[in-house]
Amino acid sequence: LADKVLPQIGEVAIRGITRDHVISWILWVERQVAPRTGQAYATDSMRSWWRPLRTMLKDAAADFGIADPTFRVTPPRSRVNDVREKETLTGDQLGDLLAVMKEGFTEWYAEIYVMAFTGMRPGELYALRWDDVDFDKGCLKVQRAVWRQHVGTTKTGAVRVVAMPEAMKN
């Protein structure tokens, strides 16, 4: 809200927000770039700002008996395709990281190793259960994730099977 909504429509009274305000906000959001990279935001990022704004405006319209300013408004879209973070470790850098972790941070080594070699997110790793581990087939079933101390679906909602790292089989 503070960074992506209030700068554009924060001064407008709820009863005064119109479809034009919402469309102007969307056009503004679509022109924004990430300060760290200078690149356009991904559509998913913009929609993560759009969804709560749309919900609040729809609720306000219902509560105040006014026209819904989000009605038939197209959600924001990125102007570039497949905006993804490109800064990943090289093979050598990953090897160095794992060596340092194994030597000096043994309590976290196993977690980092498994995430590095499976692509699992931390919350997915912490939600693993023994019945998700298949030693015979050498794979892990990723079907849950921990988020804010609650176990639920993975970020994408999809269940996937990943190869088990060799070190885990021993």
Side-chain angles (χ1 to χ4, degrees):
L1 275 173
D3 293 337
K4 303 301 180 206
V5 175
L6 297 178
Q8 290 302 301
I9 55 177
E11 298 297 319
V12 181
I14 289 291
R15 292 180 193 268
I17 295 178
T18 65
R19 189 169 187 266
D20 287 340
H21 288 106
V22 175
I23 291 169
S24 292
W25 177 83
I26 287 171
L27 294 173
W28 176 78
V29 163
E30 289 175 340
R31 290 189 309 269
Q32 298 303 297
V33 295
R36 191 172 57 83
T37 64
Q39 295 180 355
Y41 284 103
T43 296
D44 287 346
S45 296
M46 289 186 270
R47 297 226 173 136
S48 74
W49 310 324
W50 165 247
R51 282 187 297 273
L53 174 60
R54 182 185 62 199
T55 299
M56 288 186 292
L57 292 176
K58 282 181 171 296
D59 288 348
D63 290 348
F64 291 102
I66 57 176
D68 175 6
T70 67
F71 182 68
R72 293 179 51 198
V73 173
T74 303
R77 286 184 294 238
S78 181
R79 63 183 180 269
V80 295
N81 292 327
D82 195 30
V83 178
R84 291 278 179 204
E85 182 65 48
K86 304 287 191 237
E87 297 176 28
T88 58
L89 298 178
T90 65
D92 289 340
Q93 290 170 329
L94 178 58
D96 292 345
L97 171 66
L98 289 171
V100 168
M101 296 301 291
K102 189 173 189 176
E103 188 66 33
F105 302 92
T106 54
E107 67 275 17
W108 295 318
Y109 173 73
E111 294 174 35
I112 300 300
Y113 182 91
V114 172
M115 288 187 290
F117 286 97
T118 64
M120 293 173 67
R121 296 175 176 93
E124 294 170 338
L125 175 66
Y126 304 143
L128 276 180
R129 297 181 184 158
W130 281 112
D131 59 342
D132 297 325
V133 181
D134 188 331
F135 286 102
D136 294 332
K137 293 181 181 175
C139 62
L140 304 168
K141 188 175 185 181
V142 182
Q143 57 188 340
R144 288 174 294 283
V146 175
W147 187 69
R148 293 189 177 177
Q149 301 176 355
H150 297 283
V151 177
T153 62
T154 61
K155 180 178 176 181
T156 63
V159 176
R160 67 186 189 282
V161 176
V162 298
M164 187 184 309
E166 256 329 291
M168 279 185 64
K169 296 177 187 176
N170 300 328

